[in-house]
Amino acid sequence: MSDKKIVFSGVQPTGNLHLGNYLGALKNFVSLQKKMECIYCVVDLHAITTFQNPKILKSNILETTAGFIASGLDHENSIIFNQSSVSGHAELAWILNCVSRVGWLNRMTQFKDKAGTDKEKASVGLYIYPNLMAADILLYKATHVPVGADQKQHIELSRDIAQKFNNDFQVENFFPLPEPLIPKKISRIMSLRDGTKKMSKSEESEYSRINLKDDADEIVKKIKKAKTDSEPIPSNEVELNKRPEALNLITIYSDLTNTPVGEVLKQMSGKDFTHLKKNLSDALVEKICPIGKEIKKMIKDRIFLEKILKKGSEKANLKAEENLKKIRDIVGLI
Ligand code: TYM
């Protein structure tokens, strides 16, 4: 097996990118691009597992691409493309559908959450979505996958599928077993309205999340309204861990300002949340507003974004075809 390190990750073009996407994934994408070969994908085929308005989907694909670049990805250095433009993703997904097991998919918690109470009405695509995700990763024989904690189970499934393929076809180490790269301290940013729920694009209230396109006023307003409890800020992490909303806000502040949580507690212990909220808003405005402004500027230049995706797709397609040729042969397809 080659010991080459290859990074792959994806983001769905389903609307506004938010702080969870940035701190859980995009920030890590950026730091990895200097160390390894990186492939970053706007996963439009994943987005359509739930119905998308076609016009809005097209503009969301471009806006997510703009989000990648505004966050600091270098399209000369990393491959940036949209999934549907490399047909190998769908082809390998079909092959892997035949390797993956129904019992494995039945354990996926994200399907249970997304399908809701009426699972019979969920699309088949939503159910087999983790197999497409495995195909995304294995198509490039990626070894490392930067994601937030919510994707961990899907990466574990990708490892099981890779292992079963290698065993079934007796091609030891053909697919590497991909490693998730999950930020240690900031793997799950929580909703600003409920510290026990993940910050997500699908939560109804705009006040639950900071979008990368929010302007300074919106950020200040959302942080002011963010749910907290009535106690002052604690002096130690044991106490902090018992208070989900305080933990969330302090962890975000700690990450944005590169200050260890213990240090933040030392500075703020005994103070009330207005103090934290003021500092947190300032840090968010400083970090997020420039990204948002860049996204808003870039989405006006459709041609520039389309060119980036076209160039990325061509590069990705060459790599995908090279691997697919071997995969078809291993499986016995002519
Ligand atoms: P998606 O589009 O839901 O999210 C994109 C990335 O953002 C991370 N993330 C978060 N991290 C921390 N806190 C949060 N509140 C938060 N919300 C989102 C996600 O973990 C993810 O890393 N299935 C994937 C996309 C995908 C993919 C892949 C990822 C498709 N194929 C192959 C890796 C490899 C998804 O829906 O991510």
Side-chain angles (χ1 to χ4, degrees):
M1 188 171 48
S2 137
D3 52 12
K4 196 167 171 198
K5 291 178 176 161
I6 300 175
V7 171
F8 182 95
S9 199
V11 176
Q12 291 197 51
T14 40
N16 273 329
L17 289 171
H18 55 69
L19 188 67
N21 299 129
Y22 179 70
L23 296 180
L26 290 166
K27 201 175 150 196
N28 223 0
F29 292 6
V30 174
S31 67
L32 286 164
Q33 68 181 349
K34 294 190 194 98
K35 301 179 201 147
M36 301 186 203
E37 177 180 340
C38 294
I39 306 172
Y40 295 124
C41 186
V42 179
V43 288
D44 46 13
L45 294 177
H46 277 92
I48 60 169
T49 55
T50 53
F51 183 78
Q52 304 293 321
N53 174 311
K55 261 202 195 130
I56 297 177
L57 177 61
K58 279 185 185 157
S59 71
N60 280 342
I61 293 170
L62 296 179
E63 188 169 317
T64 305
T65 310
F68 280 11
I69 296 175
S71 299
L73 288 183
D74 174 0
H75 61 97
E76 300 290 348
N77 201 7
S78 302
I79 297 181
I80 294 174
F81 73 109
N82 64 312
Q83 188 183 25
S84 62
S85 66
V86 176
S87 60
H89 288 257
E91 183 179 344
L92 183 57
W94 181 256
I95 293 173
L96 298 185
N97 282 339
C98 304
V99 174
S100 181
R101 303 288 95 179
V102 170
W104 296 354
L105 290 180
N106 284 344
R107 286 199 284 275
M108 294 297 116
T109 52
Q110 202 165 71
F111 174 74
K112 290 178 195 159
D113 292 345
K114 285 199 176 173
T117 43
D118 199 354
K119 294 188 180 38
E120 298 279 310
K121 288 210 171 125
S123 76
V124 176
L126 189 66
Y127 180 62
I128 57 171
Y129 163 124
N131 294 343
L132 176 59
M133 195 164 148
D136 299 337
I137 298 165
L138 300 178
L139 186 58
Y140 303 96
K141 295 191 170 188
T143 53
H144 294 84
V145 188
V147 282
D150 62 327
Q151 297 299 319
K152 186 164 178 256
Q153 194 185 34
H154 291 158
I155 311 296
E156 282 162 0
L157 179 85
S158 303
R159 291 169 66 89
D160 290 341
I161 293 174
Q163 183 80 68
K164 188 169 181 342
F165 182 98
N166 292 348
N167 290 344
D168 286 355
F169 294 101
Q170 298 186 5
V171 282
E172 206 186 342
N173 296 331
F174 176 75
F175 283 132
L177 307 189
E179 296 269 352
L181 297 176
I182 299 174
K184 278 205 183 69
K185 299 219 170 97
I186 195 103
S187 60
R188 194 186 292 271
I189 304 287
M190 308 311 266
S191 157
L192 300 178
R193 308 300 296 157
D194 177 350
T196 62
K197 264 169 77 185
K198 189 183 75 164
M199 182 179 285
S200 131
K201 291 170 197 169
S202 51
E203 192 176 331
E204 220 171 280
S205 168
E206 272 296 317
Y207 282 94
S208 69
R209 63 189 157 260
I210 302 289
N211 297 314
L212 297 189
K213 281 195 308 179
D214 284 347
D215 61 28
D217 285 351
E218 283 165 318
I219 290 177
V220 171
K221 226 190 285 164
K222 287 181 179 181
I223 295 298
K224 234 182 219 162
K225 281 210 163 199
K227 188 178 166 199
T228 50
D229 53 43
S230 53
E231 300 290 313
I233 294 171
S235 60
N236 63 71
E237 290 185 51
V238 177
E239 287 305 309
L240 181 66
N241 289 338
K242 295 181 196 155
R243 295 164 58 185
E245 283 83 20
L247 175 65
N248 190 37
L249 297 182
I250 290 201
T251 318
I252 296 171
Y253 179 70
S254 148
D255 194 78
L256 287 170
T257 56
N258 282 323
T259 317
V261 168
E263 186 57 38
V264 177
L265 292 180
K266 233 194 230 167
Q267 292 166 10
M268 298 196 183
S269 159
K271 299 194 170 149
D272 69 21
F273 279 96
T274 359
H275 178 73
L276 168 65
K277 285 182 167 184
K278 164 84 181 73
N279 284 289
L280 177 57
S281 297
D282 289 349
L284 282 165
V285 167
E286 189 183 326
K287 189 78 212 169
I288 299 304
C289 286
I291 298 178
K293 276 188 195 145
E294 195 57 28
I295 296 177
K296 286 180 201 158
K297 197 169 100 193
M298 235 182 283
I299 48 179
K300 290 191 189 135
D301 195 349
R302 233 188 131 91
I303 297 192
F304 167 72
L305 294 168
E306 282 170 353
K307 259 194 205 148
I308 289 175
L309 289 179
K310 185 164 181 290
K311 189 181 69 180
S313 302
E314 283 165 5
K315 287 192 200 160
N317 203 38
L318 285 177
K319 289 182 185 290
E321 268 309 310
E322 195 186 315
N323 288 333
L324 265 177
K325 235 188 247 160
K326 291 183 203 144
I327 295 165
R328 290 186 197 110
D329 182 54
I330 289 170
V331 174
L333 303 170
I334 299 180

